[in-house]
Amino acid sequence: MTLTHPFFDADGDKLREECGIFGVIGVNDASAMTALGLHALQHRGQEAAGITSFDGREFYSRRGTGHVAENFSSSEAIRELPGHMAAGHVRYSTTGGAGLRNVQPLYADLASGGFAVAHNGNISNAIRLRQDLVRKGAIFQSTSDTEVIIHLVATSRYPTLLDRFVDALRLVEGAYSLICMTPEGMIACRDPLGIRPLVMGKIGDGFIFASETVALDVVGAEFLRQVEPGELVQVDFEGNVFSHRPFGQISARPCIFEHVYFSRPDSIFDRRSVYSVRKEIGAQLAIESPAEVDLVVPVPDSGVPAAIGYSQRSGIPFELGIIRSHYVGRTFIQPSDSQRHSGVKRKHNANRALVEGKKLVLIDDSIVRGTTSLKIVEMMREAGAKEVHMRIASPPTMHSCFYGVDTPERSKLLAAQMDVEAMRVFIKADSLAFVSIDGLYRAVGETGRNNTCPQYCDACFTGDYPTSLTDLADRESPPAQLPFPVNRVA
């Protein structure tokens, strides 16, 4: 997370969940299992990975830039991380946020012993808190907002670590799912609104926490339940599980974009199949915005389930009119503008024999800056498509996210600058339509959006932010120049 300009992928036109977390306690080869779990969460962060383990006496850490396989595929790497408890993290970097010092889990020696934390989310008052801590003498080793939590725990005056941890969390705003390791065991928790996901599983006598259920599937664990919003789950080395609710009962608002794009389709989020929800979003699109076309074509891979739903509801054949190359890495060297602009064709190519002379409706998950949609529409026309219509499986993305998603500043969001007709002209489509906000809510099993008390965090569509945005307010009206650089990294 960052308050400066974000780092985009090769297309520069996708929202990105910035991290995934995994933790296990009470199993042999905990680090090997953590590495496997992180593989399943690789889509949530591809810039860096880290694992910290505990063998009952000492904590061990290994962190590196790149994919999980680049850092943890060897037996030598796993041998460096002994113990029956381990936690791991995958992340995307943001501008100025790359480098090993920001790769998690972060570790510190506190008065009570070692403390390691892996964080998914964004602390929206981290700069304000950090400024106060620095004035009191705190020395930070990273530019991560996660380190603020460690300092707050370290400086709390409560007697037990759990009380100090709760005390720290009461001071932070924003979104967080956390997996923490201490000499006494593991603590997993979600913020009171449950914005970021976290689930709990069991394998043998051990327990697992992960950002998505797919990570439990991959390691062969049983899915028990989600960690509830505002819940802290403590697991000790005897296998005892304790649930704490220090924040009381608050109406949850999990991130609805997990259903649209972030989570893997084979995961369960907020008790619903992500794949089934995405198909239902496509069906809602077909009801709200039909198109007289010959073929329904997904923009792979994220548009596939919604396109299936659109096809099944409309009765229009589903075809793979765009073929995706799975061998284009995010680190592909692009020395010139012309090569950078050819990125879409390296990743997607029109299936000319199928689309030539046809009227198409393309299904994608979102439009951010519009550059990718423009290139894909142009590519289909060059391949001979007679008409190209675009349908989007989310409402227009009009606002930036401050809860753990890498979004451009609002001035670079196409929907914040143009109405739908102007966007259609920009991407050169014959027609353009987005699913309505109520249609999206119907797809996740609601009757519609409760405008008084929304069931999800949908701020990127509505601008209805569920928490205070202290750092944003300070940035727009800064009280004083900060004596240090800060880049949010989760």
Side-chain angles (χ1 to χ4, degrees), residues 72-130:
F72 299 105
S73 60
S74 69
S75 56
E76 178 184 352
I78 298 302
R79 281 197 300 269
E80 293 178 7
L81 301 164
H84 292 74
M85 178 173 68
H89 188 272
V90 290
R91 66 181 279 270
Y92 280 118
S93 67
T94 54
T95 300
L100 285 177
R101 66 175 180 160
N102 286 323
V103 180
Q104 297 186 28
L106 298 184
Y107 174 81
D109 284 305
L110 307 184
S112 57
F115 185 78
V117 58
H119 171 208
N120 171 208
N122 188 49
I123 306 305
S124 59
N125 65 335
I127 292 179
R128 177 80 68 85
L129 291 171
R130 180 178 175 128

Side-chain angles (χ1 to χ4, degrees), residues 143-215:
T143 59
S144 168
D145 59 346
T146 309
E147 192 177 357
V148 168
I149 297 173
I150 295 176
H151 282 275
L152 291 174
V153 173
T155 56
S156 173
R157 296 181 179 274
Y158 280 85
T160 70
L161 177 62
L162 182 65
D163 287 338
R164 291 196 295 273
F165 188 49
V166 172
D167 184 39
L169 295 182
R170 290 189 190 279
L171 296 175
V172 304
E173 300 169 359
Y176 54 82
S177 286
L178 300 168
I179 295 175
C180 305
M181 297 196 302
T182 77
E184 286 73 45
M186 182 168 283
I187 304 172
C189 67
R190 290 174 78 189
D191 66 80
L193 295 175
I195 298 174
R196 299 263 65 86
L198 192 63
V199 297
M200 180 179 180
K202 196 171 193 309
I203 184 166
D205 295 326
F207 291 89
I208 293 175
F209 300 94
S211 292
E212 293 186 37
T213 59
V214 66

Side-chain angles (χ1 to χ4, degrees), residues 5 26 37-38 46 77 143 165 169 207 218 235 253 258 282 312 359 361 365 390 397 408 416 426 466:
H5 297 295
L38 291 180
Q46 300 179 33
T143 59
F165 188 49
L169 295 182
F207 291 89
V218 167
V235 182
R253 289 187 63 178
E258 291 284 345
Q312 291 177 347
K359 298 177 182 179
V361 60
D365 62 273
M390 182 74 80
T397 304
F426 178 85

Side-chain angles (χ1 to χ4, degrees), residues 166 170 176 190-194 228-232 244-252:
V166 172
R170 290 189 190 279
Y176 54 82
R190 290 174 78 189
D191 66 80
L193 295 175
E228 296 298 330
E231 182 184 18
L232 280 73
H244 309 274
R245 297 295 185 93
F247 306 109
Q249 294 294 325
I250 301 174
S251 296

